[in-house]
Amino acid sequence: MPKKHLLLSVLTSALLLAACSHQQNHTAASAVQASAISASQIQKSPNDNRSYAAILLPNQLQVVLVSDPTLESSAASMAIAVGSSSDPDSQLGLAHYLEHMLFLGTKKYPVPGNFMEFVSGNSGEANAVTAFDRTHFFFKVNSGKFSDALDRYSDYFKSPLLDAQYAEKERNAVNSEWSMNKSQDAWILQRIDGATINQANPFSRFTVGNLETLADKEGSNLQQQLKAFYERYYSANNMRLTLAGKQSIAELERLAKKYFASIPNKNITRPQVSIAGITQMEMGKSIHYQPQQDLKLLLVDFPLKNNMAFWRVKPNDYVNNLLGSEEAGTLCEQLRKTGLANMVTSSINTGLYGGDGYLRISVDLTNAGLNNRDKVVAAIFSYIDLVKRQGLNERYFQEMKAVAEKEFNSQAKPDILQQAVNIANNQLDLPLENVLNANYVYDHFDARAIQDLLDQLQVQNVRIWHIDKNQTVDTNLPHYAGQYSVRDIQPVEKQRWQQFAANFEFNLPEINNLFTDKAADVVAAEFLKPEAVVSEKGVEAFVVHPEFYREDKGVISLEVNVDFARQTAKQLVLSQLLNNILVAKNITLVERAKRASLAVEFNLSETNSPFISIAGATSKHEELLKSALDSLVNVSISEVDFIDALDKYKRALADNKKAIPLNQAYSNAMRLLSEAQWTDSEYLEAADKITLKDLLAYHREIKANPLLRIYAFGNYSTQTVTRFARLAAAALPGTKLPQQRKLAQFITPKVGQNIRYQAAAEQPDNVVIEAVLGDAKSDDEQAQFVVLNAFFGNAFFSQLRTNEQLGYLVGSGNYPLNDYPGFAFYVQSNNTELAQLKARMDVFRSEFMAILKKIEPARIEAFKQSERENVLQKPTDFYAESRRYSGEFFAGRYDFSNRDKYLASLARVNKENIIALYQKMLLDKKAMDILIQIKGESFKDTSFALNNPQEISR
């Protein structure tokens, strides 16, 4: 061998030895890492009996496993650490587009929609979402089908087809999603934020994607970029997985290894955004926007550097707690008390742009506030100055820590799908040990971390948003409706703020007197079904105890039942105004309760009667009930209160036409099926004539002779509930008997007496909803429609959305009305006229019978079994259990047998009676037919599907 060859041989051997040594070191390091992860002790609540474990697969995919034998559903969530911030400039929206394309077939399961069909056919659900720096894919399915579902799901991350033949369809789907939201203020404001920050930061770019941005361009082929994005970022070491279900930890580990260990590991570095979102160039700005809805908002933003590394000591929560307090003398309370604001909130997101973000004070302005914005801004600066001077006090931290500890120690088990999503997401940012408890960790009082945040709240850095219909704007926003303008904040403005600030006097919040760390004794579970403990003139009260979650928690609901609140449009408006004022007057009480882990709510029931609910640890419930009743009985309503409430109500009504068209359509369908059928224009006409005198008279009428209906679930003895009933009756005495209770009323469906409604929306898209209602009450037919939809819904979605791209929102569902069986299906479209939508829906309705006849009875029986298991599933927590009978109580169904009736009817469902029902009601149309059409602005010159009068009912 020549010397040079010998030298080459020696060098080659040395390199191979080095490579081998490196591989051994890498393998050893991986083994140490895997061992450390397996040894991790995930911190869980003492109230949580689920089992948790973590593993690291050989491909460096980290997995958290959650086992709960009581579950009947299993869930999975994959979080990939890449999102829209990594979109190439030439294909904006690519991360989102890829999320869509993954659903359209894999090497093992090439048929588009196969996974979705499998999940929906087994009582499950699935979805995905693309965010700034991550993408989530998640699903839930009957536990017996979890392995089969994982086989399909995992193939997304191993061998998706990303087939070019579906590219055009899914580009249209993304475009439809963008079109649906391009006129919504929340989306527009997010894009204005992007347009006014540092344009080198990826948050500044259009992230959703549409037909314009997702297209072949010179030097950029969409299909090639799609595959390159997937190959670059979808790596096992850039993913975090959660598997959760009734399976044991060992079985879940087996499933993880079987289906996910073969995901390729490309050893990539996680994408990070290092470019500042807000530099000195973007600070000190005044941003002006003329909203689509009639909003009156002032937003004050202070740029902040990312401080997520300090999550253990919670400086953000500490400052938010002070700035967002509603206690007497604080910023929020004073701005409301002086009539400048309806609501004031504080929020912090220091990682919004990656390495930085902001603290935002949001003010919902009254008309007085709108005319005195400088005073509002000055008040914010004045209060922040007070917090800087006096706010560093460990007692606030200790109070927050005590509340957090109590919340965590009594924490309910969350819905299994939501928990899977949360854990997968938290794995990207937090130590494994803290994926469950991070929000509750208050390690120590860190004055320096708090002071560092406060030091960044500088007037010269502020960005102030003025959002109302009177703003002067001059700049179009690419891809979205609306205009905005930006200008520098002038020294004269700062001088005015300084002058006004001297006129404000604020206090920092007092210690919360509603918090207690002492739990009440748990009462014996005497009634597992609601039982009447009071039934007499003026009041009825029921109590029910938990079967599964016997702890110191309770939910008490009180309806001040009246029979006149829906008799006329005027009375219905008055009920809304009174409730709005009660909500406004009780913000301090509600927020104080919230900070003590309690919940207090003022609302309206289905009869538009006043409704109060209280939830949480029970020791303070009597005190809260007294406060809420006192407010309802003795509320003081001034002329200013009335004017502000009326203004807010009228603006909300006017804004209904700017809601998503599908929401408008469903709202009108429900209106036309209920006893209160007045239109928004009729409500506005009534509102224009209402005076303060009318509202005061209505309030007196509410108090004159109500029937109090009380439903108590949880840790209450019969004596306690009786005492609550006596307390309420003393505050609001009445003579009505319980049998005279007013219940929600609906129309009686009649074959041939159909409902037609059509209207124009101030939104671009069209929508058609068609529903059928049977003319005889039937538990069996309601159950049949549930099973039918398991097959109809997926086929309808796959054909009209996935294959034909007629719209982004395509769906169907069981739609009963007061025990009359019903079924509804809908399409919202940005590309098809109403007449064509209706015609295509009709064709599908006819064609589906052939599909239905081919369905194997075994698939129907499998769905029935999954549905039965879901219904019988042990509630995941106390609050889930509390809802079992509450709907029946307020509907006046005191036999409390809905679930038993449904399960009995479900057992009787078979292929033959589903086919017979479908033939009768959807093909032969032996049912009341409801057709709701909303015409979008993009189709203003087109016709409705039927030339009927605007409204025909009864």
Side-chain angles (χ1 to χ4, degrees), residues 811-872:
S812 63
N814 182 40
Y815 195 63
L817 179 76
N818 197 27
D819 289 340
Y820 291 94
F823 189 78
F825 50 112
Y826 59 85
V827 179
Q828 180 174 313
S829 175
N830 69 337
N831 56 38
T832 306
E833 295 181 15
L834 289 165
Q836 294 171 317
L837 277 182
K838 174 67 168 64
R840 183 63 189 93
M841 291 165 72
D842 287 344
V843 170
F844 182 89
R845 177 157 62 175
S846 297
E847 293 174 340
F848 181 73
M849 177 58 91
I851 299 173
L852 183 58
K853 288 180 177 178
K854 292 179 181 178
I855 294 173
E856 293 293 329
R859 291 181 61 196
I860 293 173
E861 292 304 314
F863 175 81
K864 286 170 54 181
Q865 180 61 26
S866 296
E867 176 69 5
R868 176 180 172 80
E869 290 171 356
N870 279 349
V871 171
L872 292 175

Side-chain angles (χ1 to χ4, degrees), residues 24 28 53 206 245 338 420 461 543 554-555 625 634 716 781 797 805 921:
Q24 289 172 348
F206 177 51
T338 55
N461 298 341
V543 64
V555 179
L625 182 60
N634 299 312
Y716 307 106
E781 289 185 347
F797 180 91
Q805 288 297 322
M921 292 183 65

